[in-house]
Amino acid sequence: MREFYFGNLRVQLLSGEIVRLEYAKKGRFCNKSTVLCPDRDKFKEQPEYKTYGNYIIFGDYTLAIPDGARSLSGVKLLKDGVAVYNYKKSSGINLPPVQKTPEVFAVSDNPRITVPDGGYKYRGKVKNSGFKTEENTQDVYLLICGGSCKKLALLMRELFGGGELPRLGSLGEWSECGLGEAKKYLTEYPRNIIINGVDAGCKSSLAELKKVCGLAQTRGAGVAVKYSNYPEDVFGPSEVKERENRIYSLLKNGADAIYFDGCSDTEKYAVRQTVTNFLKKSAGGKCPLRAQCFDGTDMLTVYDGLLPYIYRLFYRNYTCGEPVKRRLGWEYAADKRAAKALNEFMTGNNILVAEGENSLIYLPAGKWVCSHTDKIYSGGKNIETGEKTFIRQGALLPRSSGGDFSSLIYDFYPCKEASDSGFIYEDDGVSEAYKRGEYRTCSYKAFFDPYINAYKIELSAEKGVYKPFGQRNITVKFRMLAGVGAVKKITVNGADTVYEKFAKSERCPSATLKFSINAALNKDYLIIFYL
């Protein structure tokens, strides 16, 4: 990180793409972590620069500071002599539509909430529990994203940090019920549940919760306790103590996670910090489990066994800031009509879902397969249909029936004009070991090769240190969609493979070709479907 001072104005080049501008009337600059930027010390980069008087030149940009600056007013960032940013007083984060992502996006840490050492915890009758709130601060971060919404998401992830990877068990179908119904629900139909209204001050309720959690563990389901409160002062001592006592009681009695709703980002931060502190305290300073707190937007129902596909998206969200559930404009930034399709969203780049009752759906360019009928629609236009879920033709979707990914189905929607690529992401699903690099990825690719008139699937060898098993049972499912051609033979690493042909059925609306292999994960596999 590079620092420059112009009287009471400070410029920090946190990286070549993130610039901090801070003005302090008496030169008392903020060096502590804040709720907005929880770990500024992680920026170790020393970007190249040149200075000429009040100008700082780095990369393609020039930062211009007015002579005798008494505020941030007049500060400009230029590219090729043209201003791409002029300081403007603002508060917080107001993200632009993806199609209107600017060259430089400014985020103001105003009001600025400084985080005390030790994080969010009760400290007796200390005002705001050690947090300091400052209004009307001139503390701005410039994220140089070049007009790319994906680059902006990555920079925001680098600056602000992000959520933890969800526990693998948190992804799936959830049902809400009361504490009295929980045992019956888990016995008759084991699945993840949210228990509403547990009174942490009631010993009998906590004892009953403990029994339910024990049953849930034997049934392989998860339990989350719904925790909703709307404090007047989230950092007030009494609120911190009440929150800490309540959440600690729930976690001590076996709650797997805290589910909360109606909370601001600051309140979410407080809940997450409380859970993290509990886990560290209970494990001698280390955090053995993921500090699992989530609200309604964090939970995504995994349908049709798509857990491997969804988990990889959450990993991308953790590392790159990419949203799991995204507007069409994220994937199709150049398509103006996609930007206007506000009742539709993408899960990754392959699954499109329409919401609401509107039967007029916009499909972006390419070909799209209805998930219920396997009927193919040409994109780039509106279609009239009652269907709500579509798969991008060309997709290779990994599916599983369990959480350990020891058996996978690669569901292939072949297309001569489109391809797909991705990877299987695996870790232990529970701990924070993934932060230390203890995970594994296995890349895959699917495409049409016109030179040999064949479809190909490439499965690459594993990468990473997490290796719970060395062999995976893989079933490949080739959907014989209209127009894809007739397959004459299938080879795996050059050897002919026996496969079965299944007629279309109610469960699978198109005829399919299927075969299975026991794949050693330290080897590459090339599967070819010859036409």
Side-chain angles (χ1 to χ4, degrees):
M1 177 175 61
R2 307 280 190 183
E3 288 192 337
F4 310 87
Y5 293 87
F6 302 87
N8 291 334
L9 191 154
R10 177 170 71 171
V11 176
Q12 293 179 315
L13 298 184
L14 301 182
S15 72
E17 297 168 321
I18 302 178
V19 181
R20 184 189 185 197
L21 308 173
E22 183 187 10
Y23 181 82
K25 288 183 180 180
K26 298 181 180 180
R28 297 173 182 171
F29 300 108
C30 178
N31 293 314
K32 282 194 169 187
S33 297
T34 68
V35 170
L36 185 73
C37 182
D39 185 13
R40 195 178 301 108
D41 293 337
K42 66 185 176 183
F43 292 96
K44 306 297 184 182
E45 184 181 339
Q46 299 290 321
E48 297 296 323
Y49 71 95
K50 295 179 182 178
T51 58
Y52 297 95
N54 286 3
Y55 294 90
I56 303 171
I57 302 172
F58 58 101
D60 297 328
Y61 298 88
T62 300
L63 187 67
I65 310 296
D67 290 333
R70 296 185 177 180
S71 71
L72 292 184
S73 296
V75 174
K76 296 181 179 181
L77 187 66
L78 307 126
K79 182 179 182 182
D80 299 326
V82 178
V84 291
Y85 168 75
N86 292 281
Y87 172 72
K88 182 180 179 181
K89 186 177 180 180
S90 61
S91 298
I93 304 173
N94 294 301
L95 285 172
V98 291
Q99 278 73 18
K100 295 183 179 180
T101 304
E103 178 79 19
V104 178
F105 182 70
V107 178
S108 179
D109 199 351
N110 175 39
R112 184 169 63 197
I113 303 174
T114 307
V115 181
D117 296 335
Y120 185 86
K121 62 183 180 181
Y122 181 64
R123 294 175 171 80
K125 295 184 178 180
V126 177
K127 185 179 180 181
N128 285 336
S129 195
F131 285 78
K132 179 183 178 182
T133 302
E134 300 171 271
E135 302 286 350
N136 300 316
T137 55
Q138 296 186 50
D139 193 348
V140 178
Y141 296 89
L142 305 183
L143 309 182
I144 303 174
C145 56
S148 167
C149 62
K150 295 182 180 182
K151 184 60 175 294
L152 176 58
L154 176 60
L155 294 177
M156 291 185 70
R157 177 68 178 82
E158 289 180 7
L159 179 61
F160 309 139
E164 308 292 330
L165 258 176
R167 295 183 199 167
L168 198 57
S170 296
L171 301 178
E173 294 187 19
W174 286 81
S175 293
E176 295 191 40
C177 64
L179 187 56
E181 305 171 277
K183 287 194 290 186
K184 180 181 178 181
Y185 204 95
L186 286 169
T187 302
E188 294 181 356
Y189 187 36
R191 68 193 300 181
N192 297 324
I193 60 172
I194 296 173
I195 301 175
N196 293 306
V198 176
D199 183 0
C202 176
K203 291 184 179 180
S204 60
S205 291
L206 291 177
E208 196 67 16
L209 173 65
K210 195 170 185 178
K211 293 179 183 178
V212 169
C213 291
L215 177 61
Q217 290 175 0
T218 62
R219 296 293 183 181
V223 175
V225 177
K226 190 169 184 178
Y227 175 72
S228 302
N229 75 333
Y230 306 92
E232 295 182 3
D233 180 9
V234 69
F235 297 125
S238 60
E239 171 60 31
V240 174
K241 185 175 182 180
E242 190 278 336
R243 185 189 298 273
E244 193 170 81
N245 288 341
R246 179 177 292 270
I247 293 178
Y248 274 32
S249 293
L250 296 174
L251 293 173
K252 282 181 179 179
N253 283 272
D256 183 63
I258 304 296
Y259 169 72
F260 55 97
D261 56 11
C263 293
S264 67
D265 288 340
T266 304
E267 291 166 334
K268 292 176 186 177
Y269 169 87
V271 175
R272 291 179 191 275
Q273 284 292 308
T274 302
V275 177
T276 299
N277 288 341
F278 170 80
L279 292 171
K280 288 181 178 179
K281 183 178 179 181
S282 63
K286 296 182 179 180
C287 199
L289 299 175
R290 299 177 191 178
Q292 194 68 52
C293 298
F294 45 80
D295 59 17
T297 61
D298 291 329
M299 289 196 301
L300 184 66
T301 297
V302 179
Y303 47 92
D304 294 336
L306 284 168
L307 187 58
Y309 179 77
I310 298 296
Y311 201 43
R312 188 252 299 182
L313 295 179
F314 274 102
Y315 174 72
R316 291 287 296 175
N317 175 264
Y318 167 72
T319 56
C320 306
E322 292 182 1
V324 175
K325 181 178 177 181
R326 56 193 74 163
R327 294 292 184 187
L328 268 61
W330 175 273
E331 288 295 330
Y332 300 91
D335 188 337
K336 294 182 179 179
R337 285 183 291 179
K340 296 178 181 178
L342 301 181
N343 65 326
E344 301 172 34
F345 67 88
M346 300 285 297
T347 301
N349 67 319
N350 285 326
I351 303 174
L352 184 152
V353 179
E355 298 177 311
E357 302 300 325
N358 190 359
S359 61
L360 191 65
I361 296 173
Y362 178 74
L363 296 177
K367 294 181 179 180
W368 297 86
V369 183
C370 174
S371 65
H372 294 106
T373 65
D374 273 5
K375 180 179 179 180
I376 298 174
Y377 295 86
S378 294
K381 60 185 178 182
N382 292 311
I383 64 167
E384 187 80 26
T385 178
E387 300 295 339
K388 297 296 183 182
T389 307
F390 300 85
I391 309 298
R392 184 183 65 84
Q393 191 174 355
L396 182 65
L397 295 180
R399 303 179 188 269
S400 74
S401 58
D404 63 359
F405 303 166
S406 58
S407 296
L408 290 181
I409 298 173
Y410 281 98
D411 199 354
F412 187 28
Y413 294 76
C415 181
K416 293 181 178 180
E417 298 83 23
S419 62
D420 193 19
S421 63
F423 58 89
I424 304 297
Y425 169 82
E426 297 170 275
D427 58 29
D428 64 21
V430 177
S431 78
E432 292 193 327
Y434 68 94
K435 294 182 178 180
R436 303 188 296 272
E438 295 180 25
Y439 58 84
R440 168 171 69 186
T441 61
C442 296
S443 299
Y444 58 81
K445 184 185 298 184
F447 58 96
F448 180 74
D449 186 343
Y451 296 103
I452 61 172
N453 193 33
Y455 296 99
K456 291 182 177 179
I457 294 177
E458 296 177 358
L459 305 178
S460 298
E462 63 186 355
K463 293 182 179 180
V465 299
Y466 177 70
K467 298 181 180 181
F469 48 83
Q471 190 167 291
R472 188 176 354 247
N473 180 266
I474 293 176
T475 298
V476 179
K477 181 178 178 182
F478 183 99
R479 299 209 175 209
M480 300 174 67
L481 304 172
V484 304
V487 174
K488 296 179 180 178
K489 73 171 182 176
I490 302 174
T491 64
V492 177
N493 286 350
D496 288 358
T497 296
V498 177
Y499 58 90
E500 295 182 86
K501 183 176 180 179
F502 294 86
K504 61 182 180 180
S505 63
E506 183 177 345
R507 184 174 179 83
C508 186
S510 62
T512 58
L513 306 179
K514 283 186 183 181
F515 65 93
S516 297
I517 57 175
N518 287 317
L521 295 180
N522 61 352
K523 296 181 179 180
D524 295 332
Y525 289 84
L526 174 60
I527 302 168
I528 303 179
F529 302 85
Y530 290 95
L531 303 182

